[in-house]
Amino acid sequence: MEMPRALGVLLLLHLASGKRNVLAVTEQPRKVCEGLDHANQYDNFGLEDTAKCFAKCTQSGNESCNLGNLQRYWLSYEVHLVETSPKDTVNMSFLKALVLNISTNISKDLHFSLAASQIPRQVTEDEHQHPDRVRLPRSLFESLQGSKPTVRLAITILDIGPGTLFKGPQLSTADGSSVLNNRLVGLSLGRIPVTQLAEPLEITFSHQHQPPNMTLSCVFWDVNKGSSGDWSSKGCSTNLGANRTVCRCDHLTFFALLLKPILDKVTVRALTRISQAGCGTSMIFLAFSIVLYALLRFSWQRFKSEDAPKIHVALSISLFLLNLAFFINVGHGLMGSDATCWVRGAIFHYFLLCAFTWMALEAFHLYLLIIKVFNTYFGHYFLKLSLVGWGLPALIVIGTGSANSYGPYAIRNKENIIVLELCWFRKETALYVTVHGYFLFIFLVSAVVLALVAWKIFTLPSGVAGKERRTNWKRVLTILGLSSLVGVTWGLAIFTPLGVSTIYIFALFTSLQGVFIFCWFVVLYLPSWSTMTSSSGTARNDQAPIVSQE
């Protein structure tokens, strides 16, 4: 009896131990997102389980992810579809695929629809019915006639979600960069390499109108780039359109359309700090200019009759108030009520228009002083300029405000992340007309006047031949000084779409305009109290062609 009892106890212990082992195996955490659990397993369960990593592998995700293994899994799946899979179609929420045999002796190009909600399907050439599509040139298949009469083609649409998978180093930072609609388009002939096509394939991606600070580029996934691959545009060209972008590439692989902001959050923060530092410096020097004018007007009687320094000071005051409004608007975000935000936006708009208008009046005065030359009579000349300089912007702001165009304004990237908030325009049409259009008109007029003045100055004969080189330097510095008065530096805004570097240059030079004006004021007036000169540096006060009675 003791022996059977002992055997029974051992049997129970063995079973209990086995049960614990089973529990230990089942309780072990699965490592799907390390790309090991379903390697080379492409049944529905393996695909769905691996696809969960699209959401789990995020920038700050807690789950351990091996992006290289996961990306190789999906790249190998295309080869599996062509080489070993018996399926002709795949229809899953995150994956749509079409596999078909193609004769290498086809007579025309092939076209396929890539609608996101449907399995890719072969269609006839029809741009209007199929905004997302791919065109494969017949020459691609004709080049394979010597090896095979038919080839097997796989076309896949893969939704990679918002995670880090297939994002690569280019899109790994939170700067608003993204893959359009998180969709990849894969084209594969299995293990047959297709590179350097004589005639490129075409993939058309449809999209809405993109924000002006976004760039779009056609890319493919390059497995040889970096440790686990990255996006590359080598061999691809981008043809941008209003509602669609056509990618032309000379090989087969996974393709996508990247959206990258010209101004990301880091850039906006850096530009804001540069602008604030520059505006603060400008405010100090603008204040110096105003005080210097007051001292000269108080101590030098003839200075009171000069119109040019009055215009300079009016421009300095408008720029000072604009910089102050910029500090308040950008520094306080959207604090306060909607009515307060409306007022802040209107004030910022008003002083911006005042600055633009006084730059135009500087150009007008310069035209009368140097180009027209002959005596011109204007009764109450500066008073009339003041009515235009301060009154015209007020009329524009009243008209814009009556249309309720001011309010909260947020600059967002493609991930809908706010990078900057301020009180500005709520209606883009008003912004384009009253700011962009107004400035463009003033800039063109000022540029024409400055060009005429430069031509006039450089065609003046130099007094002494030996001083010609020094005279040329003076002429160049004179043109640079005048350009700061008429606001030519603001014209750098035209070149900002060329890249971030031009945006930094624009922010730096426009924010330091007050410094340039102060330097011009000092050089022009302080050394010549006894022989007061006009703003051109070429005409004496008693020779000025403008007569003003105030």
Side-chain angles (χ1 to χ4, degrees), residues 1-8:
M1 292 294 294
E2 292 298 327
M3 184 63 69
R5 182 180 297 175
L7 290 174

Side-chain angles (χ1 to χ4, degrees), residues 134-152:
V134 61
R135 180 188 69 85
L136 297 176
R138 55 177 292 191
S139 58
L140 186 160
F141 302 99
E142 289 177 345
S143 63
L144 303 173
Q145 284 184 9
S147 57
K148 293 184 177 182
T150 61
V151 291
R152 195 164 169 82

Side-chain angles (χ1 to χ4, degrees), residues 173-177 263-265 410-420:
T173 58
D175 63 352
S177 302
L263 292 180
D264 54 41
K265 196 167 187 176
I411 299 176
R412 299 172 180 268
N413 58 27
K414 192 60 182 178
E415 297 295 329
N416 207 32
I417 300 172
I418 296 175
V419 296
L420 182 65

Side-chain angles (χ1 to χ4, degrees), residues 367-376 456 543-546:
Y367 170 79
L368 294 179
L369 199 64
I370 297 180
I371 305 302
K372 194 170 183 181
V373 176
F374 297 105
N375 288 335
T376 304
K456 193 84 171 181
Q543 299 171 331
I546 302 169

